[in-house]
Amino acid sequence: MNVLQILSNTLGQILAPATLGYALAAIGLSVHFGFAGLLNMGVAGFMAIGAYGFAISILTFGVSWWLAVLIGLVAAVGFALIMGIPTLRLRGDYLAIVTIAAAEVLRLLFLTSTWRTYTGSADGLFNFHTGFRGANNPIPPGRYGFGPWTYTANQWWVIIIGLVTIAIAMLLVWLLMRSPWGRVIRGIREDEDAVRSLGKNVFAFKMQALIVGGVIIAAGGIVTAMGTNVNPNVYVTSQTFFVWTALLLGGAATIFGPLLGAILFWVVRAFLSNLLPALVDIGWLPFLTAEQAQQLVFVLVGLALMLLVIFRPQGILGSKKELTFVR
């Protein structure tokens, strides 16, 4: 068992596009659940709409990559409106049901062969990276960094885009939550009837929160797509649960909690994904195959989520005073 290789692979995940994408998704989900109290169980759908909007805009319509980013974000606004208009006037659990169903319907639409020309069906979409990896990449060709954080120029360009996007999203959320709008959102989370009695349009504020969080989640899907291909089998329900795990791990109603939770989640998952098969190979887990060891990672993640909700529901950076809307 190569311990150094396991540690190197684990530490390399800190700056991986998937980690950065999950961090953005967790920040957006924090706007939904942490600050506004909206039960969005369709995170994978928002990430998919951002990624597919980005890739389809480039491959089908030939637009520049930055315009494709805008199209992906605008598509997320439309997705939020479609789900929010019929549900946000009702109880919060209706939104949870609609979002998880809408995300799965969206994945099946991308998977169908009817629009294979545009969505790639089960094969997904690829070869849409040329624009921002080519002439628009200001980093000279080569490999840079040290140790597990050594990447090519194209990889560093995606990482820089992801880090800048995370910084912008965190600053936006911080400013919004310090504003009168943010105070209304927090009030709705605690007692929307009281806020409504003050003359505030609760439905409009909920819709605005759903759109803001959805756009940030879609940006996470775009950043993830920049580092790899777009495949419908990625945007499954388990992806939503992973983002929820990252959010609850760091702290739902916090600014830095989603980022910390996403990093810890991916580091632990990468560590277990490398460690458990290695233990199988050396005979320390003789009752498992290498494939079963990979599945055990998901079992351990689910167990960790249950323990987290029971013993530390406020997360690492959260405070107990923010728990009145959870319990």
Side-chain angles (χ1 to χ4, degrees), residues 162-184:
L163 292 175
V164 170
T165 307
I166 288 174
I168 293 173
M170 293 176 64
L171 178 61
L172 175 64
V173 173
W174 181 74
L175 292 174
L176 286 175
M177 294 310 151
R178 286 171 57 90
S179 69
W181 183 86
R183 289 191 287 272
V184 173

Side-chain angles (χ1 to χ4, degrees), residues 249-254 257 312-323:
L249 179 61
T254 62
R312 184 73 182 180
Q314 71 269 31
I316 296 174
L317 299 182
S319 60
K320 291 185 178 180
K321 67 180 181 180
E322 299 283 356
L323 291 181

Side-chain angles (χ1 to χ4, degrees), residues 82-244:
I82 291 173
M83 291 190 300
I85 289 175
T87 60
L88 289 181
R89 297 185 187 275
L90 306 175
R91 296 198 314 266
D93 49 352
Y94 284 98
L95 179 63
I97 295 170
V98 168
T99 51
I100 195 170
E104 186 62 14
V105 169
L106 193 64
R107 185 184 70 85
L108 294 175
L109 288 176
F110 289 138
L111 190 60
T112 182
S113 59
T114 303
W115 298 295
R116 176 183 293 274
T117 304
Y118 306 103
T119 65
S121 188
D123 296 330
L125 298 174
F126 42 88
N127 293 332
F128 54 86
H129 308 93
T130 306
F132 63 91
R133 287 185 180 179
N136 292 298
N137 186 353
I139 304 174
R143 293 184 64 85
Y144 307 93
F146 61 93
W149 300 289
T150 301
Y151 305 102
T152 64
N154 287 331
Q155 290 173 325
W156 272 117
W157 182 225
V158 175
I159 291 171
I160 291 171
I161 292 175
L163 292 175
V164 170
T165 307
I166 288 174
I168 293 173
M170 293 176 64
L171 178 61
L172 175 64
V173 173
W174 181 74
L175 292 174
L176 286 175
M177 294 310 151
R178 286 171 57 90
S179 69
W181 183 86
R183 289 191 287 272
V184 173
I185 289 297
R186 289 173 182 265
I188 292 173
R189 179 195 68 190
E190 300 294 342
D191 190 341
E192 67 176 69
D193 290 330
V195 174
R196 189 177 289 110
S197 68
L198 296 175
K200 301 295 183 181
N201 188 334
V202 171
F203 171 78
F205 277 94
K206 281 185 174 182
M207 180 62 73
Q208 292 164 17
L210 185 65
I211 290 173
V212 171
V215 168
I216 297 175
I217 296 173
I222 293 172
V223 169
T224 303
M226 287 180 172
T228 183
N229 299 328
V230 175
N231 191 291
N233 295 320
V234 173
Y235 306 102
V236 293
T237 306
S238 60
Q239 187 182 50
T240 294
F241 295 149
F242 289 160
V243 176
W244 272 93

